[in-house]
Every structure is written in C-alpha cells, then in structure tokens.
Amino acid sequence: MAKAERYNDEPIILADGKVYRDGKLVFDAVKMQVNVHLRNWTGRTLASNGNRSTRITGKDIDGTMTERRNTKWTREMLKDIDAGKTPEFTIQGRIADKGSSYYKKYGSEIVTCVGCVLTGDIKLIDFDIDSDDVLTDEISFNVYAVDFKNKK
C-alpha cells in the first residue's frame, strides 16, 4: 500500500518550548524572545555606478522574557546592583515540539544565552483597579554570547 499523502503543515508550535534561567526551569515564563541585530556599513564608491554596497560589521544580541510574578529574582538582583555589581544570568530556550516537521528533520534545538544583563525596567508595583488580569513582568536583557545545540 502506498504511503498516505499529507495535507496539513506541521510548523513549530510557539507554546511548546521550555525556558531555563541559571539551570532552573522557569515555570512561570509566558513569552521569550532573543534577537540578533546586525550592524552594517553601507556606502558607495566612485566606480559602483551609484549602487550601494553593504557589509556586516558586527552584531548585538538582546532579548525579552515575560513571566508571571511568582519569584523575586529581579528584586534579588537589585541588591547586587545597589552593592555596585552587575549581575549576570544565563537563559536557555529549548525548542522541542515533537509534532513539528522541524523536530522530525533536526531534533530539538537548545539555544543558550550567556552573560545576560538586565537592561530594562524592573516593575516594583503595578496596580489597576479595573483589571482582573494577573501580574506579569517583561524583562529586557542584553546577551554576551549565544550557543546552539541540536539533539536528534
């Protein structure tokens, strides 16, 4: 019997990931995004007939994590900041959607971001009389370096 033809796509489900901070699973993570921003030089030379040439000169990496306020880790970092230290942490994201075509082809992907430093605001109080929502914190950070690993 011939193999049945597939009609439906199997993209990675965005909610099927895991986030670790300093080796501990972050159960209260709601969203996580890490971005690479390319630095470019763009210019023209006399002989280029007006066409622009672009060269990548470097990259910057940053991210945001949104999590439910269930832990006090950001407040603990404030103590280090008050003591004149720059606290660092490691974030690891694991893409492991076994039902996706990506997983079937490549396996799970683990992205480890080291040397993460807070860059945004830390919410201390966020009251709203009209809200019945839960308290979430959006935490911005810069990343020193990234490591990629695939597991089949």
Side-chain angles (χ1 to χ4, degrees), residues 120-143:
D121 298 331
I122 297 173
K123 276 188 208 171
L124 298 177
I125 296 175
D126 189 8
F127 296 144
D128 183 355
I129 191 147
D130 296 322
S131 178
D132 60 356
D133 200 0
V134 297
L135 187 58
T136 57
D137 291 324
E138 186 171 297
I139 300 154
S140 300
F141 52 90
N142 281 342
V143 178

Side-chain angles (χ1 to χ4, degrees), residues 50-113:
N51 295 330
R52 296 184 323 161
S53 178
T54 301
R55 179 179 174 188
I56 296 174
T57 59
K59 67 184 185 326
D60 295 309
I61 308 168
D62 63 18
T64 56
M65 179 172 57
T66 304
E67 64 178 355
R68 305 272 188 249
R69 173 128 5 127
N70 290 334
T71 61
K72 296 178 76 173
W73 74 277
T74 54
R75 278 127 189 92
E76 292 164 2
M77 287 195 162
L78 284 174
K79 293 177 187 174
D80 286 342
I81 294 167
D82 288 342
K85 300 176 187 173
T86 300
E88 292 184 2
F89 55 99
T90 298
I91 290 280
Q92 186 179 75
R94 184 172 296 177
I95 302 167
D97 179 7
K98 293 180 180 180
S100 71
S101 53
Y102 184 93
Y103 184 90
K104 288 176 181 131
K105 188 169 184 177
Y106 303 109
S108 66
E109 182 176 47
I110 299 169
V111 180
T112 304
C113 303

Side-chain angles (χ1 to χ4, degrees), residues 18-29 32 65 67 71 73 76 89-94:
K18 292 182 174 26
V19 177
Y20 297 85
R21 184 181 56 245
D22 291 334
K24 296 177 185 169
L25 184 61
V26 180
F27 288 103
D28 54 353
M32 167 115 157
M65 179 172 57
E67 64 178 355
T71 61
W73 74 277
E76 292 164 2
F89 55 99
T90 298
I91 290 280
Q92 186 179 75
R94 184 172 296 177

Side-chain angles (χ1 to χ4, degrees), residues 33-37 60-64 143 146:
Q33 188 175 43
V34 176
N35 302 300
V36 175
H37 307 278
D60 295 309
I61 308 168
D62 63 18
T64 56
V143 178
V146 177

